[in-house]
Amino acid sequence: MGGRCEGWSSLFSSLRRATPLIVLASFLILFVLYYVSPMGAAAIYAPPSLSEGMGLSSATTEAYRKRLRVRGTQRRLPQALIIGVRKCGTRALLEMLNLHPHVQKNGMEMHFFDDDERYANGLEWYRKKMPYSFDNQVTIEKTPSYFISREAPARIRAMNKTIKLLLIVREPATRVLSDYAQIMDTKLRKGKQVAPFHKKVLTADGEVNDGFKAIQISQYAVHVLRWLREFPREQIHIIDGDNLIVDPYTEIDKVQRFLQLPRHIHPDNFYFNETKGFYCMRNETFQKCLAGAKGRPHPRVDPVVMSHLRLLLWLAHLLAIGGLGRNLDPGVALLSAPLPCTP
């Protein structure tokens, strides 16, 4: 019995002597976990996002990104905005730019400048919704509906008259078809019927259906001229969304230069995924493809209808630009499709 007590006494004595080492080791473990766990800086702020390589969902990492702060960071109002256009690759653009270590993305569409109730919350509310970033990082927010908003341009200028604006566009008729494909998919999943494409985009007498919102969005010139009243042309960078699909590096490199960032993104950051049929992203620590809903196949449409729609949208673009006496500089010219010669 006495031997057993001496054994326990010896054990407790050893533990007491080892206590400082145990405490020190515990602090070291916690320190390491802070910087390598999903709740640590490496998962949240490693440029580009190491969290995807750790198997975390984008929703999870975005939640962490919003809640946690790493020393030396603070929430900042965005220095650049992706203002549109819907169904032209805004999500792909944001994720590709997020490869850059000097970019900090806000993953949610805030709708701050095009929603009166949210705008009434004030800029401080908006700032607090942004992710933490370092001094040398550019915070980017994306809300495609800003592009068609009447209020957004002036409100954004009131926040920052020198802000950089990113506008990604596709050939207008193709964008309408992509928009229609998403609407059709959503309605069919709910068991609802959707009118044929030609009946949605054209009137009975063959004119463009201006009442269809997808058509309104694709009338780029009407909207871009509103932005040009508030911002000089050199603050708006237009990305060719059709080229982004087939040659992402060329378009992203132009954006790097426009944002005056070091050229950290290179051609080998993109690879073509044969299964998905589009380019994905990678770096030394992870690779990522956009969600399955991205790159949704388009429904078959009569090529004569598409050709007619392209012509009508092209003419509408020229009318809007010419009516205000503006020259078609290379960037603004991208907002219209070349005149189709054949169906």
Side-chain angles (χ1 to χ4, degrees), residues 77-84 93 113 126 130 138-143 146 152 156-157 159-160 163-167 227 231 235 237 239 258-259:
L77 290 170
Q79 298 101 317
L81 289 173
I82 299 176
I83 59 173
L93 175 62
F113 297 103
Y126 180 54
M130 294 298 109
V138 175
T139 299
I140 301 179
E141 193 249 305
K142 170 189 86 78
T143 300
Y146 289 161
I156 292 170
R157 188 179 188 281
M159 175 188 72
N160 181 1
I163 195 168
K164 300 291 183 71
L165 303 174
L166 301 174
L167 176 64
W227 289 88
F231 295 96
Q235 280 178 235
H237 179 71
I239 299 102
F258 172 72
L259 295 177

PDB file of all heavy atoms in Angstrom, residues 77-84 93 113 126 130 138-143 146 152 156-157 159-160 163-167 227 231 235 237 239 258-259:
ATOM      1  N   LEU A  77     -13.308  50.140 -47.180  1.00  0.00           N
ATOM      2  CA  LEU A  77     -14.229  50.285 -48.301  1.00  0.00           C
ATOM      3  C   LEU A  77     -13.523  49.783 -49.560  1.00  0.00           C
ATOM      4  O   LEU A  77     -12.305  49.912 -49.696  1.00  0.00           O
ATOM      5  CB  LEU A  77     -14.635  51.741 -48.474  1.00  0.00           C
ATOM      6  CG  LEU A  77     -15.553  52.323 -47.390  1.00  0.00           C
ATOM      7  CD1 LEU A  77     -15.665  53.836 -47.548  1.00  0.00           C
ATOM      8  CD2 LEU A  77     -16.929  51.671 -47.431  1.00  0.00           C
ATOM      9  N   PRO A  78     -14.253  49.182 -50.485  1.00  0.00           N
ATOM     10  CA  PRO A  78     -13.604  48.633 -51.674  1.00  0.00           C
ATOM     11  C   PRO A  78     -12.912  49.717 -52.495  1.00  0.00           C
ATOM     12  O   PRO A  78     -13.417  50.818 -52.652  1.00  0.00           O
ATOM     13  CB  PRO A  78     -14.755  47.984 -52.451  1.00  0.00           C
ATOM     14  CG  PRO A  78     -15.998  48.632 -51.931  1.00  0.00           C
ATOM     15  CD  PRO A  78     -15.711  48.977 -50.505  1.00  0.00           C
ATOM     16  N   GLN A  79     -11.749  49.346 -53.026  1.00  0.00           N
ATOM     17  CA  GLN A  79     -11.029  50.243 -53.933  1.00  0.00           C
ATOM     18  C   GLN A  79     -11.339  49.925 -55.383  1.00  0.00           C
ATOM     19  O   GLN A  79     -10.944  50.643 -56.287  1.00  0.00           O
ATOM     20  CB  GLN A  79      -9.517  50.131 -53.699  1.00  0.00           C
ATOM     21  CG  GLN A  79      -9.076  50.547 -52.298  1.00  0.00           C
ATOM     22  CD  GLN A  79      -8.825  49.353 -51.389  1.00  0.00           C
ATOM     23  OE1 GLN A  79      -9.589  48.394 -51.359  1.00  0.00           O
ATOM     24  NE2 GLN A  79      -7.752  49.412 -50.634  1.00  0.00           N
ATOM     25  N   ALA A  80     -12.037  48.807 -55.604  1.00  0.00           N
ATOM     26  CA  ALA A  80     -12.460  48.418 -56.951  1.00  0.00           C
ATOM     27  C   ALA A  80     -13.789  47.688 -56.848  1.00  0.00           C
ATOM     28  O   ALA A  80     -14.053  46.999 -55.861  1.00  0.00           O
ATOM     29  CB  ALA A  80     -11.414  47.532 -57.620  1.00  0.00           C
ATOM     30  N   LEU A  81     -14.613  47.868 -57.863  1.00  0.00           N
ATOM     31  CA  LEU A  81     -15.919  47.216 -57.908  1.00  0.00           C
ATOM     32  C   LEU A  81     -16.093  46.504 -59.246  1.00  0.00           C
ATOM     33  O   LEU A  81     -15.739  47.051 -60.294  1.00  0.00           O
ATOM     34  CB  LEU A  81     -17.052  48.234 -57.753  1.00  0.00           C
ATOM     35  CG  LEU A  81     -17.268  48.888 -56.391  1.00  0.00           C
ATOM     36  CD1 LEU A  81     -18.322  49.981 -56.502  1.00  0.00           C
ATOM     37  CD2 LEU A  81     -17.674  47.866 -55.342  1.00  0.00           C
ATOM     38  N   ILE A  82     -16.635  45.296 -59.190  1.00  0.00           N
ATOM     39  CA  ILE A  82     -17.117  44.626 -60.407  1.00  0.00           C
ATOM     40  C   ILE A  82     -18.590  44.987 -60.510  1.00  0.00           C
ATOM     41  O   ILE A  82     -19.420  44.512 -59.734  1.00  0.00           O
ATOM     42  CB  ILE A  82     -16.917  43.103 -60.338  1.00  0.00           C
ATOM     43  CG1 ILE A  82     -15.428  42.776 -60.211  1.00  0.00           C
ATOM     44  CG2 ILE A  82     -17.515  42.424 -61.571  1.00  0.00           C
ATOM     45  CD1 ILE A  82     -15.125  41.296 -60.036  1.00  0.00           C
ATOM     46  N   ILE A  83     -18.925  45.853 -61.452  1.00  0.00           N
ATOM     47  CA  ILE A  83     -20.273  46.418 -61.516  1.00  0.00           C
ATOM     48  C   ILE A  83     -21.202  45.636 -62.454  1.00  0.00           C
ATOM     49  O   ILE A  83     -22.392  45.938 -62.524  1.00  0.00           O
ATOM     50  CB  ILE A  83     -20.230  47.897 -61.946  1.00  0.00           C
ATOM     51  CG1 ILE A  83     -19.559  48.053 -63.317  1.00  0.00           C
ATOM     52  CG2 ILE A  83     -19.508  48.732 -60.897  1.00  0.00           C
ATOM     53  CD1 ILE A  83     -19.631  49.460 -63.884  1.00  0.00           C
ATOM     54  N   GLY A  84     -20.707  44.677 -63.174  1.00  0.00           N
ATOM     55  CA  GLY A  84     -21.531  43.890 -64.087  1.00  0.00           C
ATOM     56  C   GLY A  84     -20.645  43.307 -65.170  1.00  0.00           C
ATOM     57  O   GLY A  84     -19.423  43.457 -65.128  1.00  0.00           O
ATOM     58  N   LEU A  93     -14.537  36.148 -62.993  1.00  0.00           N
ATOM     59  CA  LEU A  93     -13.594  37.259 -62.917  1.00  0.00           C
ATOM     60  C   LEU A  93     -13.122  37.465 -61.483  1.00  0.00           C
ATOM     61  O   LEU A  93     -11.916  37.610 -61.222  1.00  0.00           O
ATOM     62  CB  LEU A  93     -14.245  38.533 -63.457  1.00  0.00           C
ATOM     63  CG  LEU A  93     -13.440  39.827 -63.340  1.00  0.00           C
ATOM     64  CD1 LEU A  93     -12.141  39.727 -64.127  1.00  0.00           C
ATOM     65  CD2 LEU A  93     -14.279  41.013 -63.817  1.00  0.00           C
ATOM     66  N   PHE A 113     -25.375  49.755 -53.282  1.00  0.00           N
ATOM     67  CA  PHE A 113     -25.604  50.981 -54.039  1.00  0.00           C
ATOM     68  C   PHE A 113     -26.866  50.945 -54.896  1.00  0.00           C
ATOM     69  O   PHE A 113     -27.262  51.974 -55.433  1.00  0.00           O
ATOM     70  CB  PHE A 113     -24.390  51.286 -54.918  1.00  0.00           C
ATOM     71  CG  PHE A 113     -23.136  51.543 -54.136  1.00  0.00           C
ATOM     72  CD1 PHE A 113     -22.163  50.564 -54.037  1.00  0.00           C
ATOM     73  CD2 PHE A 113     -22.947  52.746 -53.476  1.00  0.00           C
ATOM     74  CE1 PHE A 113     -20.998  50.790 -53.311  1.00  0.00           C
ATOM     75  CE2 PHE A 113     -21.790  52.982 -52.733  1.00  0.00           C
ATOM     76  CZ  PHE A 113     -20.819  51.996 -52.651  1.00  0.00           C
ATOM     77  N   TYR A 126     -21.624  49.501 -44.584  1.00  0.00           N
ATOM     78  CA  TYR A 126     -21.067  48.831 -45.766  1.00  0.00           C
ATOM     79  C   TYR A 126     -19.617  48.428 -45.523  1.00  0.00           C
ATOM     80  O   TYR A 126     -19.205  47.301 -45.834  1.00  0.00           O
ATOM     81  CB  TYR A 126     -21.183  49.783 -46.948  1.00  0.00           C
ATOM     82  CG  TYR A 126     -20.662  49.279 -48.274  1.00  0.00           C
ATOM     83  CD1 TYR A 126     -21.100  48.077 -48.825  1.00  0.00           C
ATOM     84  CD2 TYR A 126     -19.734  50.040 -49.000  1.00  0.00           C
ATOM     85  CE1 TYR A 126     -20.634  47.645 -50.053  1.00  0.00           C
ATOM     86  CE2 TYR A 126     -19.274  49.610 -50.232  1.00  0.00           C
ATOM     87  CZ  TYR A 126     -19.721  48.413 -50.753  1.00  0.00           C
ATOM     88  OH  TYR A 126     -19.261  47.987 -51.971  1.00  0.00           O
ATOM     89  N   MET A 130     -17.169  44.398 -45.323  1.00  0.00           N
ATOM     90  CA  MET A 130     -16.027  44.025 -46.135  1.00  0.00           C
ATOM     91  C   MET A 130     -15.088  43.112 -45.350  1.00  0.00           C
ATOM     92  O   MET A 130     -15.069  43.130 -44.118  1.00  0.00           O
ATOM     93  CB  MET A 130     -15.262  45.279 -46.580  1.00  0.00           C
ATOM     94  CG  MET A 130     -16.031  46.198 -47.523  1.00  0.00           C
ATOM     95  SD  MET A 130     -16.480  45.422 -49.097  1.00  0.00           S
ATOM     96  CE  MET A 130     -18.260  45.251 -48.859  1.00  0.00           C
ATOM     97  N   VAL A 138      -6.005  45.154 -52.365  1.00  0.00           N
ATOM     98  CA  VAL A 138      -7.153  45.845 -52.948  1.00  0.00           C
ATOM     99  C   VAL A 138      -8.401  45.043 -52.615  1.00  0.00           C
ATOM    100  O   VAL A 138      -8.498  43.860 -52.959  1.00  0.00           O
ATOM    101  CB  VAL A 138      -7.005  45.977 -54.475  1.00  0.00           C
ATOM    102  CG1 VAL A 138      -8.269  46.580 -55.092  1.00  0.00           C
ATOM    103  CG2 VAL A 138      -5.791  46.816 -54.823  1.00  0.00           C
ATOM    104  N   THR A 139      -9.347  45.668 -51.945  1.00  0.00           N
ATOM    105  CA  THR A 139     -10.619  45.011 -51.654  1.00  0.00           C
ATOM    106  C   THR A 139     -11.551  45.193 -52.852  1.00  0.00           C
ATOM    107  O   THR A 139     -11.735  46.310 -53.337  1.00  0.00           O
ATOM    108  CB  THR A 139     -11.273  45.604 -50.393  1.00  0.00           C
ATOM    109  OG1 THR A 139     -10.410  45.396 -49.274  1.00  0.00           O
ATOM    110  CG2 THR A 139     -12.617  44.947 -50.114  1.00  0.00           C
ATOM    111  N   ILE A 140     -12.135  44.083 -53.302  1.00  0.00           N
ATOM    112  CA  ILE A 140     -13.025  44.114 -54.470  1.00  0.00           C
ATOM    113  C   ILE A 140     -14.387  43.552 -54.081  1.00  0.00           C
ATOM    114  O   ILE A 140     -14.481  42.462 -53.506  1.00  0.00           O
ATOM    115  CB  ILE A 140     -12.445  43.304 -55.646  1.00  0.00           C
ATOM    116  CG1 ILE A 140     -11.081  43.857 -56.062  1.00  0.00           C
ATOM    117  CG2 ILE A 140     -13.404  43.325 -56.832  1.00  0.00           C
ATOM    118  CD1 ILE A 140     -10.436  43.101 -57.212  1.00  0.00           C
ATOM    119  N   GLU A 141     -15.415  44.304 -54.392  1.00  0.00           N
ATOM    120  CA  GLU A 141     -16.801  43.832 -54.195  1.00  0.00           C
ATOM    121  C   GLU A 141     -17.467  43.661 -55.548  1.00  0.00           C
ATOM    122  O   GLU A 141     -17.181  44.428 -56.476  1.00  0.00           O
ATOM    123  CB  GLU A 141     -17.585  44.826 -53.336  1.00  0.00           C
ATOM    124  CG  GLU A 141     -18.921  44.265 -52.816  1.00  0.00           C
ATOM    125  CD  GLU A 141     -20.158  44.922 -53.431  1.00  0.00           C
ATOM    126  OE1 GLU A 141     -20.272  46.164 -53.366  1.00  0.00           O
ATOM    127  OE2 GLU A 141     -21.007  44.168 -53.974  1.00  0.00           O
ATOM    128  N   LYS A 142     -18.337  42.670 -55.653  1.00  0.00           N
ATOM    129  CA  LYS A 142     -19.015  42.376 -56.919  1.00  0.00           C
ATOM    130  C   LYS A 142     -20.525  42.358 -56.727  1.00  0.00           C
ATOM    131  O   LYS A 142     -21.052  41.609 -55.905  1.00  0.00           O
ATOM    132  CB  LYS A 142     -18.565  41.010 -57.447  1.00  0.00           C
ATOM    133  CG  LYS A 142     -19.386  40.505 -58.643  1.00  0.00           C
ATOM    134  CD  LYS A 142     -19.047  39.065 -58.989  1.00  0.00           C
ATOM    135  CE  LYS A 142     -19.827  38.058 -58.186  1.00  0.00           C
ATOM    136  NZ  LYS A 142     -21.217  37.878 -58.671  1.00  0.00           N
ATOM    137  N   THR A 143     -21.216  43.206 -57.474  1.00  0.00           N
ATOM    138  CA  THR A 143     -22.671  43.153 -57.559  1.00  0.00           C
ATOM    139  C   THR A 143     -23.063  43.510 -58.993  1.00  0.00           C
ATOM    140  O   THR A 143     -23.057  44.690 -59.372  1.00  0.00           O
ATOM    141  CB  THR A 143     -23.351  44.129 -56.571  1.00  0.00           C
ATOM    142  OG1 THR A 143     -22.978  43.785 -55.225  1.00  0.00           O
ATOM    143  CG2 THR A 143     -24.872  44.039 -56.691  1.00  0.00           C
ATOM    144  N   TYR A 146     -25.401  46.503 -60.202  1.00  0.00           N
ATOM    145  CA  TYR A 146     -25.013  47.911 -60.170  1.00  0.00           C
ATOM    146  C   TYR A 146     -25.037  48.511 -61.574  1.00  0.00           C
ATOM    147  O   TYR A 146     -25.376  49.679 -61.758  1.00  0.00           O
ATOM    148  CB  TYR A 146     -23.596  48.072 -59.596  1.00  0.00           C
ATOM    149  CG  TYR A 146     -23.464  47.820 -58.114  1.00  0.00           C
ATOM    150  CD1 TYR A 146     -22.225  47.540 -57.541  1.00  0.00           C
ATOM    151  CD2 TYR A 146     -24.560  47.871 -57.259  1.00  0.00           C
ATOM    152  CE1 TYR A 146     -22.071  47.321 -56.184  1.00  0.00           C
ATOM    153  CE2 TYR A 146     -24.438  47.642 -55.903  1.00  0.00           C
ATOM    154  CZ  TYR A 146     -23.178  47.361 -55.366  1.00  0.00           C
ATOM    155  OH  TYR A 146     -23.038  47.140 -54.020  1.00  0.00           O
ATOM    156  N   ALA A 152     -26.859  53.802 -58.735  1.00  0.00           N
ATOM    157  CA  ALA A 152     -25.537  53.309 -58.329  1.00  0.00           C
ATOM    158  C   ALA A 152     -24.371  54.193 -58.762  1.00  0.00           C
ATOM    159  O   ALA A 152     -23.469  54.457 -57.953  1.00  0.00           O
ATOM    160  CB  ALA A 152     -25.342  51.876 -58.820  1.00  0.00           C
ATOM    161  N   ILE A 156     -21.820  55.606 -55.924  1.00  0.00           N
ATOM    162  CA  ILE A 156     -20.445  55.101 -55.863  1.00  0.00           C
ATOM    163  C   ILE A 156     -19.457  56.256 -55.964  1.00  0.00           C
ATOM    164  O   ILE A 156     -18.452  56.296 -55.250  1.00  0.00           O
ATOM    165  CB  ILE A 156     -20.218  54.057 -56.970  1.00  0.00           C
ATOM    166  CG1 ILE A 156     -21.041  52.795 -56.665  1.00  0.00           C
ATOM    167  CG2 ILE A 156     -18.737  53.695 -57.097  1.00  0.00           C
ATOM    168  CD1 ILE A 156     -21.095  51.792 -57.796  1.00  0.00           C
ATOM    169  N   ARG A 157     -19.747  57.205 -56.835  1.00  0.00           N
ATOM    170  CA  ARG A 157     -18.868  58.371 -56.960  1.00  0.00           C
ATOM    171  C   ARG A 157     -18.831  59.163 -55.656  1.00  0.00           C
ATOM    172  O   ARG A 157     -17.776  59.695 -55.269  1.00  0.00           O
ATOM    173  CB  ARG A 157     -19.323  59.269 -58.111  1.00  0.00           C
ATOM    174  CG  ARG A 157     -18.343  60.389 -58.421  1.00  0.00           C
ATOM    175  CD  ARG A 157     -18.817  61.247 -59.595  1.00  0.00           C
ATOM    176  NE  ARG A 157     -17.778  62.189 -59.990  1.00  0.00           N
ATOM    177  CZ  ARG A 157     -17.498  63.324 -59.366  1.00  0.00           C
ATOM    178  NH1 ARG A 157     -18.214  63.680 -58.311  1.00  0.00           N
ATOM    179  NH2 ARG A 157     -16.524  64.112 -59.800  1.00  0.00           N
ATOM    180  N   MET A 159     -18.980  57.953 -52.750  1.00  0.00           N
ATOM    181  CA  MET A 159     -18.116  57.217 -51.833  1.00  0.00           C
ATOM    182  C   MET A 159     -16.647  57.428 -52.180  1.00  0.00           C
ATOM    183  O   MET A 159     -15.815  57.700 -51.314  1.00  0.00           O
ATOM    184  CB  MET A 159     -18.433  55.716 -51.874  1.00  0.00           C
ATOM    185  CG  MET A 159     -17.494  54.865 -51.029  1.00  0.00           C
ATOM    186  SD  MET A 159     -17.697  53.085 -51.241  1.00  0.00           S
ATOM    187  CE  MET A 159     -17.011  52.837 -52.897  1.00  0.00           C
ATOM    188  N   ASN A 160     -16.329  57.316 -53.479  1.00  0.00           N
ATOM    189  CA  ASN A 160     -14.932  57.412 -53.909  1.00  0.00           C
ATOM    190  C   ASN A 160     -14.909  57.763 -55.393  1.00  0.00           C
ATOM    191  O   ASN A 160     -15.171  56.913 -56.241  1.00  0.00           O
ATOM    192  CB  ASN A 160     -14.209  56.085 -53.653  1.00  0.00           C
ATOM    193  CG  ASN A 160     -12.754  56.131 -54.068  1.00  0.00           C
ATOM    194  OD1 ASN A 160     -12.254  57.151 -54.542  1.00  0.00           O
ATOM    195  ND2 ASN A 160     -12.063  55.013 -53.908  1.00  0.00           N
ATOM    196  N   ILE A 163     -12.422  55.566 -57.609  1.00  0.00           N
ATOM    197  CA  ILE A 163     -12.521  54.107 -57.549  1.00  0.00           C
ATOM    198  C   ILE A 163     -12.341  53.499 -58.935  1.00  0.00           C
ATOM    199  O   ILE A 163     -12.681  54.103 -59.951  1.00  0.00           O
ATOM    200  CB  ILE A 163     -13.882  53.688 -56.939  1.00  0.00           C
ATOM    201  CG1 ILE A 163     -13.862  52.217 -56.519  1.00  0.00           C
ATOM    202  CG2 ILE A 163     -15.027  53.974 -57.911  1.00  0.00           C
ATOM    203  CD1 ILE A 163     -15.054  51.827 -55.645  1.00  0.00           C
ATOM    204  N   LYS A 164     -11.784  52.275 -58.982  1.00  0.00           N
ATOM    205  CA  LYS A 164     -11.608  51.544 -60.239  1.00  0.00           C
ATOM    206  C   LYS A 164     -12.840  50.661 -60.458  1.00  0.00           C
ATOM    207  O   LYS A 164     -13.268  49.942 -59.552  1.00  0.00           O
ATOM    208  CB  LYS A 164     -10.348  50.676 -60.182  1.00  0.00           C
ATOM    209  CG  LYS A 164      -9.050  51.453 -59.946  1.00  0.00           C
ATOM    210  CD  LYS A 164      -8.696  52.300 -61.145  1.00  0.00           C
ATOM    211  CE  LYS A 164      -7.370  53.025 -60.950  1.00  0.00           C
ATOM    212  NZ  LYS A 164      -6.207  52.126 -60.989  1.00  0.00           N
ATOM    213  N   LEU A 165     -13.386  50.731 -61.673  1.00  0.00           N
ATOM    214  CA  LEU A 165     -14.595  49.981 -62.007  1.00  0.00           C
ATOM    215  C   LEU A 165     -14.273  48.918 -63.052  1.00  0.00           C
ATOM    216  O   LEU A 165     -13.631  49.199 -64.062  1.00  0.00           O
ATOM    217  CB  LEU A 165     -15.675  50.928 -62.534  1.00  0.00           C
ATOM    218  CG  LEU A 165     -16.071  52.080 -61.597  1.00  0.00           C
ATOM    219  CD1 LEU A 165     -17.040  53.019 -62.299  1.00  0.00           C
ATOM    220  CD2 LEU A 165     -16.677  51.543 -60.307  1.00  0.00           C
ATOM    221  N   LEU A 166     -14.726  47.693 -62.797  1.00  0.00           N
ATOM    222  CA  LEU A 166     -14.516  46.572 -63.712  1.00  0.00           C
ATOM    223  C   LEU A 166     -15.856  46.171 -64.308  1.00  0.00           C
ATOM    224  O   LEU A 166     -16.809  45.885 -63.571  1.00  0.00           O
ATOM    225  CB  LEU A 166     -13.888  45.388 -62.975  1.00  0.00           C
ATOM    226  CG  LEU A 166     -12.540  45.658 -62.303  1.00  0.00           C
ATOM    227  CD1 LEU A 166     -12.094  44.454 -61.488  1.00  0.00           C
ATOM    228  CD2 LEU A 166     -11.483  46.036 -63.333  1.00  0.00           C
ATOM    229  N   LEU A 167     -15.916  46.163 -65.634  1.00  0.00           N
ATOM    230  CA  LEU A 167     -17.148  45.833 -66.341  1.00  0.00           C
ATOM    231  C   LEU A 167     -16.846  44.717 -67.335  1.00  0.00           C
ATOM    232  O   LEU A 167     -16.068  44.904 -68.263  1.00  0.00           O
ATOM    233  CB  LEU A 167     -17.680  47.065 -67.075  1.00  0.00           C
ATOM    234  CG  LEU A 167     -18.928  46.864 -67.945  1.00  0.00           C
ATOM    235  CD1 LEU A 167     -20.121  46.473 -67.085  1.00  0.00           C
ATOM    236  CD2 LEU A 167     -19.232  48.125 -68.744  1.00  0.00           C
ATOM    237  N   TRP A 227     -22.804  55.654 -66.629  1.00  0.00           N
ATOM    238  CA  TRP A 227     -21.574  55.597 -65.841  1.00  0.00           C
ATOM    239  C   TRP A 227     -20.560  56.632 -66.324  1.00  0.00           C
ATOM    240  O   TRP A 227     -19.831  57.215 -65.521  1.00  0.00           O
ATOM    241  CB  TRP A 227     -20.978  54.187 -65.905  1.00  0.00           C
ATOM    242  CG  TRP A 227     -21.791  53.187 -65.148  1.00  0.00           C
ATOM    243  CD1 TRP A 227     -22.841  52.449 -65.615  1.00  0.00           C
ATOM    244  CD2 TRP A 227     -21.651  52.838 -63.767  1.00  0.00           C
ATOM    245  NE1 TRP A 227     -23.369  51.656 -64.607  1.00  0.00           N
ATOM    246  CE2 TRP A 227     -22.653  51.876 -63.467  1.00  0.00           C
ATOM    247  CE3 TRP A 227     -20.775  53.234 -62.761  1.00  0.00           C
ATOM    248  CZ2 TRP A 227     -22.794  51.318 -62.202  1.00  0.00           C
ATOM    249  CZ3 TRP A 227     -20.907  52.675 -61.492  1.00  0.00           C
ATOM    250  CH2 TRP A 227     -21.908  51.734 -61.222  1.00  0.00           C
ATOM    251  N   PHE A 231     -18.061  59.048 -64.194  1.00  0.00           N
ATOM    252  CA  PHE A 231     -16.655  58.645 -64.097  1.00  0.00           C
ATOM    253  C   PHE A 231     -15.953  58.850 -65.432  1.00  0.00           C
ATOM    254  O   PHE A 231     -16.538  58.603 -66.485  1.00  0.00           O
ATOM    255  CB  PHE A 231     -16.539  57.171 -63.696  1.00  0.00           C
ATOM    256  CG  PHE A 231     -17.057  56.862 -62.315  1.00  0.00           C
ATOM    257  CD1 PHE A 231     -18.352  56.388 -62.133  1.00  0.00           C
ATOM    258  CD2 PHE A 231     -16.249  57.064 -61.206  1.00  0.00           C
ATOM    259  CE1 PHE A 231     -18.835  56.105 -60.869  1.00  0.00           C
ATOM    260  CE2 PHE A 231     -16.722  56.788 -59.927  1.00  0.00           C
ATOM    261  CZ  PHE A 231     -18.015  56.311 -59.760  1.00  0.00           C
ATOM    262  N   GLN A 235     -11.241  55.268 -65.762  1.00  0.00           N
ATOM    263  CA  GLN A 235     -11.523  54.552 -64.515  1.00  0.00           C
ATOM    264  C   GLN A 235     -12.401  53.326 -64.726  1.00  0.00           C
ATOM    265  O   GLN A 235     -12.701  52.603 -63.772  1.00  0.00           O
ATOM    266  CB  GLN A 235     -12.212  55.482 -63.510  1.00  0.00           C
ATOM    267  CG  GLN A 235     -11.256  56.406 -62.787  1.00  0.00           C
ATOM    268  CD  GLN A 235     -11.959  57.342 -61.832  1.00  0.00           C
ATOM    269  OE1 GLN A 235     -11.805  58.572 -61.921  1.00  0.00           O
ATOM    270  NE2 GLN A 235     -12.724  56.792 -60.906  1.00  0.00           N
ATOM    271  N   HIS A 237     -12.620  49.794 -66.678  1.00  0.00           N
ATOM    272  CA  HIS A 237     -11.934  48.793 -67.500  1.00  0.00           C
ATOM    273  C   HIS A 237     -12.956  47.763 -67.975  1.00  0.00           C
ATOM    274  O   HIS A 237     -13.672  47.172 -67.168  1.00  0.00           O
ATOM    275  CB  HIS A 237     -10.830  48.098 -66.714  1.00  0.00           C
ATOM    276  CG  HIS A 237     -10.120  47.054 -67.513  1.00  0.00           C
ATOM    277  ND1 HIS A 237      -9.273  47.362 -68.561  1.00  0.00           N
ATOM    278  CD2 HIS A 237     -10.160  45.695 -67.442  1.00  0.00           C
ATOM    279  CE1 HIS A 237      -8.804  46.240 -69.083  1.00  0.00           C
ATOM    280  NE2 HIS A 237      -9.324  45.224 -68.432  1.00  0.00           N
ATOM    281  N   ILE A 239     -13.808  44.263 -69.676  1.00  0.00           N
ATOM    282  CA  ILE A 239     -13.249  42.930 -69.905  1.00  0.00           C
ATOM    283  C   ILE A 239     -14.096  42.206 -70.940  1.00  0.00           C
ATOM    284  O   ILE A 239     -15.326  42.228 -70.872  1.00  0.00           O
ATOM    285  CB  ILE A 239     -13.216  42.108 -68.598  1.00  0.00           C
ATOM    286  CG1 ILE A 239     -12.341  42.805 -67.549  1.00  0.00           C
ATOM    287  CG2 ILE A 239     -12.732  40.681 -68.846  1.00  0.00           C
ATOM    288  CD1 ILE A 239     -13.107  43.549 -66.505  1.00  0.00           C
ATOM    289  N   PHE A 258      -4.437  47.298 -64.961  1.00  0.00           N
ATOM    290  CA  PHE A 258      -5.393  48.373 -64.705  1.00  0.00           C
ATOM    291  C   PHE A 258      -5.451  48.714 -63.216  1.00  0.00           C
ATOM    292  O   PHE A 258      -5.528  49.898 -62.838  1.00  0.00           O
ATOM    293  CB  PHE A 258      -6.778  47.958 -65.207  1.00  0.00           C
ATOM    294  CG  PHE A 258      -7.888  48.904 -64.838  1.00  0.00           C
ATOM    295  CD1 PHE A 258      -7.996  50.147 -65.443  1.00  0.00           C
ATOM    296  CD2 PHE A 258      -8.843  48.546 -63.888  1.00  0.00           C
ATOM    297  CE1 PHE A 258      -9.020  51.025 -65.105  1.00  0.00           C
ATOM    298  CE2 PHE A 258      -9.873  49.409 -63.556  1.00  0.00           C
ATOM    299  CZ  PHE A 258      -9.959  50.651 -64.166  1.00  0.00           C
ATOM    300  N   LEU A 259      -5.405  47.692 -62.367  1.00  0.00           N
ATOM    301  CA  LEU A 259      -5.448  47.903 -60.921  1.00  0.00           C
ATOM    302  C   LEU A 259      -4.076  48.260 -60.347  1.00  0.00           C
ATOM    303  O   LEU A 259      -3.945  48.443 -59.138  1.00  0.00           O
ATOM    304  CB  LEU A 259      -5.988  46.646 -60.224  1.00  0.00           C
ATOM    305  CG  LEU A 259      -7.436  46.273 -60.543  1.00  0.00           C
ATOM    306  CD1 LEU A 259      -7.812  44.965 -59.847  1.00  0.00           C
ATOM    307  CD2 LEU A 259      -8.405  47.379 -60.136  1.00  0.00           C
TER     308      LEU A 259
END
